[in-house]
Amino acid sequence: MSDGTETGADVGGTGTERAARRDEAVRAAVEQGLLGPGTPIVGLLDVAGIRESAAALRAAFDAVTAPGTPVLHAFAVKATPLVPVVRLLHEEGIGAEVASPGELALARAAGVPPERTVLDSPAKTPEELREALALGIAVNADNPQELARIDALVAGGTSRSPLGVRVNPQVGGGSIEALSTATATSKFGVALRDEGAREWVVRAYLDRPWLTRLHAHTGSQGIPLTLMAEGVAETYALAEEINERAGRRQVDTLDIGGGLPVNFASDETTPTYAEYARVLREAVPGLFDGRYGLVTEFGRSLLAKHGTVVARVEYAKNAGGRPVAVTHAGVQVATRTVYAPGAWPLRIAAYDAKGLPKAGPDVVQDVAGPACFAGDLLATGRALPLLEQGDYAAALDTGAYYFAHHYAYNSLARPGVYGFGADGSGGVAFATVREAQSVAEIVSEAGGAHRDALTSPPGS
Ligand SMILES: *Cc1c(COP(=O)(O)O)cnc(C)c1O
């Protein structure tokens, strides 16, 4: 797939191949009845594409690290919290980065062993810490209070884990404030440039010989590669300082986080892992010379391009002179896009009732979702072949942070998610990744078992 030197083509194959696979999958989903009047929305995952991205990630770092350097690529489970996806990545040599008891349970259910799991959340309870340390999962302490809890567990002999501290290099934010983790006032990690903080971190390590890792995650989507590299460079410099003052190589592993931005504007994969690895090598050559083991935590860039939400056009109408396609995909699957359309625009592809790509001419139209509020729009004023009743609208690049992040507005059901691949005889085969939520499940999750809880409370 990749020797780490290609541009554009080294994540998930070429964009053209990926788009062709997607078109075939949409048609097959309609033909095979996965998608239709009774099942008007599905999430589709391109298994070959996910495998190719995983391979590209490994190749990119193999190309810049000294032979024998331990490198753990840990998938940020929050990007696509689906057990079969985490399992597929595990098979591709990718571990798991988890940030809640739920995510840890998903990683364990997928069979990711503790030594390939990293726990990073900002609000870990004592019980979570105890479990992680007993299992031997790597933990990055977010702050001094958390480190004090870890001190107690280590003193009690509970720990088998590689342990580190998360720092915020405070190198600044990117174009999306909500995803910029290295601003001066970010809630994550120990803010390194605050008065006295750097010295506190160094002392924390000198006082605790068992702190052997250092972690930073400079941001996600919207952060330029050079700024991400600056965050890594700051972290590396701190590790060097700690090791020099300790007089030994106490920090032996650097966790450089994730955050490679994804291009949502076309089928091209840019930037690539290979580009980022080269930027890092240029900015921080010592990172790759074999003295440090490495951990990465990519999420969005491994999955985004490989997921598609496909939704049926229930009605096609006109309002104020503008065509509006009312589909079954809206805020429940594309929450960020609906609430922050400027920051999270999605490409929409038009397919006809048979699942074939629609031909032009382009017509300026709105693509709406099913929820009962006016802002529930996947796209506004978008030029596309006219969507008609019974057609399908596909929201592209939605494999990360979209259809697996259900938002239960209007009690809209979680859609089914299916992986697709070649069936060996020229067609497309699907595998169920997650069943669609049933109406009975919606009722049950909405307190259905407690119908009379408020009308006949205990003691009344
Ligand atoms: C969200 C997150 C990631 C993954 O970020 P992506 O932008 O999806 O690559 C990695 N590490 C930490 C600590 C995170 O919070």
Side-chain angles (χ1 to χ4, degrees), residues 76 78 97 120 166 215 217 220 258-260 297-300 401:
K78 76 166 182 278
E97 186 266 355
D120 275 342
R166 176 172 183 170
H215 174 225
H217 168 66
S220 295
L260 190 74
E297 307 171 339
F298 295 102
R300 182 177 289 104
Y401 301 98

Side-chain angles (χ1 to χ4, degrees), residues 196-264:
R198 191 182 186 90
E199 184 57 24
W200 180 86
V201 173
V202 174
R203 283 252 53 101
Y205 277 75
L206 298 181
D207 292 345
R208 295 169 183 80
W210 40 265
L211 279 178
T212 57
R213 293 191 168 187
L214 194 61
H215 174 225
H217 168 66
T218 299
S220 295
Q221 195 63 23
I223 310 282
L225 291 193
T226 48
L227 191 64
M228 292 186 20
E230 216 182 295
V232 174
E234 292 280 329
T235 313
Y236 170 82
L238 176 60
E240 291 282 280
E241 183 181 337
I242 292 168
N243 287 346
E244 194 180 319
R245 287 182 53 189
R248 65 188 186 100
R249 303 214 53 78
Q250 178 174 342
V251 177
D252 61 18
T253 301
L254 293 174
D255 181 338
I256 63 171
L260 190 74
V262 165
N263 165 28
F264 285 95

